Amino acid sequence: GSDCNVVVKDVLMEPIRMLREATHFRKARGPDGDVVYEACSPSEPGAEDRNLQWFVDNGLADKVTPPKITMRDFEKVLLRARPTVSKSDLEVFENFTNEFGEEAS
């Protein structure tokens, strides 16, 4: 459970990381029809050479919309995730279970 919790929290940060690393943004329509800015690749139509700090400095940070979380975000996080329980911890648990059974009385 703990490992899953760590992975999900890391995945939730992935859109923020993408915004911080973005070098180009384009205008788009938000859910309410207002103009928002979304990170994009430099080759996309409408791409403007901007970074997140530019939006902060110009009072437009609230107009930047984070990208949606995708399955690819989970894949990226899982590739770098490390277990929170070591093999030695598992050995201790297995030895205990072998000695006392699954339900120690």
Side-chain angles (χ1 to χ4, degrees):
S2 176
D3 289 344
C4 290
N5 189 22
V6 169
V7 167
V8 169
K9 284 182 179 180
D10 203 10
V11 167
L12 289 172
M13 288 302 297
E14 206 54 34
I16 304 305
R17 286 186 200 99
M18 291 171 67
L19 288 177
R20 291 177 63 196
E21 295 170 6
T23 59
H24 288 76
F25 287 80
R26 67 176 177 194
K27 290 180 182 177
R29 290 275 171 213
D32 56 1
D34 286 352
V35 172
V36 295
Y37 294 88
E38 56 188 19
C40 66
S41 71
S43 62
E44 288 191 44
E48 298 178 26
D49 187 8
R50 307 264 190 265
N51 61 24
L52 190 56
Q53 189 61 49
W54 182 90
F55 290 98
V56 172
D57 293 345
N58 288 281
L60 296 170
D62 62 331
K63 297 294 183 185
V64 175
T65 184
K68 292 182 180 179
I69 293 172
T70 66
M71 187 61 175
R72 178 72 184 123
D73 295 323
F74 280 92
E75 292 166 349
K76 284 178 10 184
V77 167
L78 287 171
L79 285 173
R80 66 177 182 252
R82 298 289 171 250
T84 57
V85 178
S86 69
K87 288 189 182 225
S88 64
D89 292 335
L90 290 175
E91 287 174 10
V92 169
F93 176 75
E94 287 174 4
N95 291 338
F96 178 87
T97 302
N98 289 337
E99 186 174 343
F100 300 105
E102 298 228 6
E103 293 183 24
S105 39

